[in-house]
Amino acid sequence: MRPTLRQRILPVSLSEFTMPTLTAWETPKAGSLARLTQKTMPLPTLPLGQLRIGVHAVGLNFADIFALTGLYSATPQGAFTPGLEFSGTVIDAGAHNKATDSLFKVGDRVMGVTRFGGYCSVIDSEPDYLMPLPHHWDFPQGAAFPAQTLTAWYALTTLGNLQPDHNVLIHSAAGGVGLQAMKLTQALGATPVGTVGNPNKARILQDMGFSDVLVRQRDFSRQLTESGHRFDLVLDAIGGTVQQASFAALNPMGRLVVFGAAEFTPTGNRPNYLKAAWRYLRRPRYDVMDMISNNRSVMAFNLIWLWEQKTIMQTLLRELQAIDLPPPHVGHRFAFDDAHAALALLQSGQSVGKVVLEVPQ
Ligand SMILES: NC(=O)c1ccc[n+]([C@@H]2O[C@H](COP(=O)([O-])OP(=O)(O)OC[C@H]3O[C@@H](n4cnc5c(N)ncnc54)[C@H](OP(=O)(O)O)[C@@H]3O)[C@@H](O)[C@H]2O)c1
């Protein structure tokens, strides 16, 4: 058949000229979950020294909700893509292709952390922020590991000074960070006592072998006193009266490690600023003079600042790899397109383990 005029002018099909693209979830600015939309854009040039990862799975973090609703101080100004951790395959090793001592090569399965930008089908990353994905883990398990396990580890060991004879109270014990904290506490020979918001989570934890789990009641202070438990370490990311009661249950030399404030979680797309302000005014406060008298202390952290401290982060990751934990529990897998549904589940406080988005390949 004779070629048409169009075929003679354009002998190569248009699809062959199609620019390679990436798909990302982006919000024009923080303030409302509803602003998050999916965008497709051309792949940028791979920056020197970085590796290009074809993302298979993205791990959701509670911080994503706080960032999108404008309640997280580390959130970038203006437009941004949420997301702090991912897993995937190296699809372009750039200059590392030629380096014989390079840790990663094209085709390697990796997991990594990123300072925002995680909800994306392609991520460019410095090798320092990547780790090999253990061969017996799947991609969602890899995307569930770095941020939440680093958080649990830093809270327990660096700040918490965890010792094998310690009793440790871990709030939201069935959550992403909480489950890893329960496992790490056990792995280090200490005794974890978990708290959760509903009996279903308590059953799941018990099935996993954690015998000491409290379903938090309205009067948590009374519940804790009646339970007779005393603690050497408390991990809290809820705040309010739960945190206050936990501090009161510390043994001398005990430490309360605070790393979040889930009680501020908005129930809709936007924060209720009046409610948040009320909670803020009633937040627990601690008197350092009392801390001296009672020999108990409060510590707090935000791991996002570790992004700049690569050496510390690498040390923590090496320490973690030496523990040889089983793969993290992925409770909920959503398609990449269903980010809104995945965020809604995490925000509801009903999720168990990690919530993950899977990128179609
Ligand atoms: N500072 C840091 O560097 C850092 C890093 C990572 C995570 N975090 C914090 O650690 C916490 C856990 O993070 P994650 O990603 O693993 O989340 P997650 O624990 O999987 O989910 C959050 C949990 O918070 C509890 N919760 C308490 N009050 C709530 C409320 N009003 N609304 C919704 N949920 C409520 C719920 O569990 P229960 O009801 O069972 O308690 C919920 O499942 C978050 O507060 C997060 O901000 C801090």
Side-chain angles (χ1 to χ4, degrees), residues 100-163:
T100 48
D101 60 345
S102 176
L103 194 57
F104 301 106
K105 57 183 187 317
V106 170
D108 282 354
R109 291 166 12 113
V110 293
M111 50 191 179
V113 285
T114 171
R115 199 182 196 285
F116 297 94
Y119 290 26
C120 196
S121 61
V122 176
I123 292 175
D124 295 341
S125 170
E126 288 176 33
D128 287 348
Y129 297 112
L130 301 172
M131 282 159 282
L133 179 66
H135 67 273
H136 55 293
W137 292 16
D138 64 18
F139 285 107
Q141 288 168 333
F145 182 78
Q148 65 180 30
T149 318
L150 268 176
T151 304
W153 181 248
Y154 186 75
L156 288 168
T157 61
T158 311
L159 298 190
N161 187 33
L162 184 68
Q163 302 297 317

Side-chain angles (χ1 to χ4, degrees), residues 62 151 172 175-177 196-197 201 216 237 259 262 301-303 347 349:
F62 222 58
T151 304
S172 305
V177 174
V196 289
K201 291 186 184 183
R216 290 187 312 275
F259 51 98
F301 70 93
N302 183 353
L303 266 198
Q347 181 186 20

